[in-house]
Amino acid sequence: MTASGIVLYGPPGSGKDTVTAELAKLGDEFALFQRLKAGPGRTAGYRLTTVEHIEELSRTGEVLYRNARYGAEYAIDRPEVARLVRSGLTPVLHMGQVVGVNAVGNFPINWVKVLLWCPEEVTRERCHGRGDRDVDARLKVWHETRQDLLDHAAEPWSLVIRTDQVSPSQAAQTISEARVAGTTAEVRDIRGLVE
């Protein structure tokens, strides 16, 4: 099988962590890509570093994508993606910006680009349910993600999944099948989804 990766794009509370956990249950080839992170906030699921380290990787062309959010700096570095792929793993990347989805596409493997979506009220409920202390900030990001999708309405997606309408295990199974099938991304009408 051709080397592949999965990008899970969606707003806070759309189920990126939950779907990733379900993918891991389907097979040990699925590996969460732990982004580099410099700054405050959650530490689980990240490789903690410094802004200086991210700057150095950027200068040497080793950063596929970099962004700032919640007062922290994040980076997706080429060497870690390459390490996972060389190990025979399928990296699962969590993204919140369409420009980032496109940027990681520059790493030459088959990317299954998945848009996970849920309404604002579902994000609110899930954020409260998991004990987020910054729910207002996460709802602001939900709106930013919605606008990002509207600004990139012609962006092609391999799959679009409403996580408030399918179970995490169903979503993971669908994603796994798309990876095996080599499903390519195509433009889908997402306006009705997010408007």
Side-chain angles (χ1 to χ4, degrees):
M1 177 185 291
T2 303
S4 59
I6 296 168
V7 175
L8 300 180
Y9 169 96
S14 60
K16 295 183 288 289
D17 288 333
T18 306
V19 170
T20 299
E22 290 296 323
L23 283 167
K25 290 179 186 176
L26 292 177
D28 57 9
E29 71 272 19
F30 296 104
L32 172 65
F33 178 87
Q34 295 188 328
R35 284 181 291 166
L36 291 168
K37 179 179 181 179
R42 291 174 44 186
T43 58
Y46 298 102
R47 290 175 292 136
L48 301 181
T49 189
T50 63
V51 172
E52 293 77 18
H53 181 228
I54 294 173
E55 288 283 352
E56 178 58 29
L57 287 170
S58 289
R59 277 194 298 276
T60 59
E62 296 294 347
V63 170
L64 292 167
Y65 182 66
R66 176 181 181 180
N67 71 300
R69 187 164 267 171
Y70 306 119
E73 290 273 337
Y74 302 89
I76 296 173
D77 58 312
R78 184 182 306 276
E80 182 66 4
V81 175
R83 185 190 70 76
L84 292 171
V85 171
R86 276 194 314 272
S87 299
L89 299 172
T90 299
V92 180
L93 281 66
H94 295 180
M95 302 294 299
Q97 301 84 23
V98 172
V99 68
V101 174
N102 290 326
V104 299
N106 290 321
F107 192 91
I109 59 175
N110 178 49
W111 290 101
V112 178
K113 296 168 47 175
V114 183
L115 165 57
L116 299 179
W117 187 255
C118 66
E120 179 183 11
E121 59 272 15
V122 173
T123 286
R124 180 182 291 106
E125 290 169 12
R126 290 176 176 172
C127 288
H128 280 297
R130 65 188 187 193
D132 289 340
R133 294 186 184 128
D134 56 352
V135 174
D136 288 342
R138 293 186 183 273
L139 291 174
K140 180 178 181 288
V141 171
W142 183 93
H143 285 278
E144 291 170 357
T145 305
R146 177 183 173 277
Q147 190 59 53
D148 189 34
L149 283 169
L150 291 172
D151 291 345
H152 297 91
E155 180 67 24
W157 298 98
S158 307
L159 295 168
V160 176
I161 299 173
R162 280 277 305 260
T163 62
D164 59 316
Q165 296 178 352
V166 300
S167 71
S169 60
Q170 289 172 311
Q173 186 63 46
T174 301
I175 293 165
S176 179
E177 290 168 2
R179 180 187 68 92
V180 171
T183 302
T184 56
E186 60 186 62
V187 176
R188 297 164 189 266
D189 182 11
I190 55 91
R191 288 190 178 275
L193 179 75
V194 300
E195 289 182 334

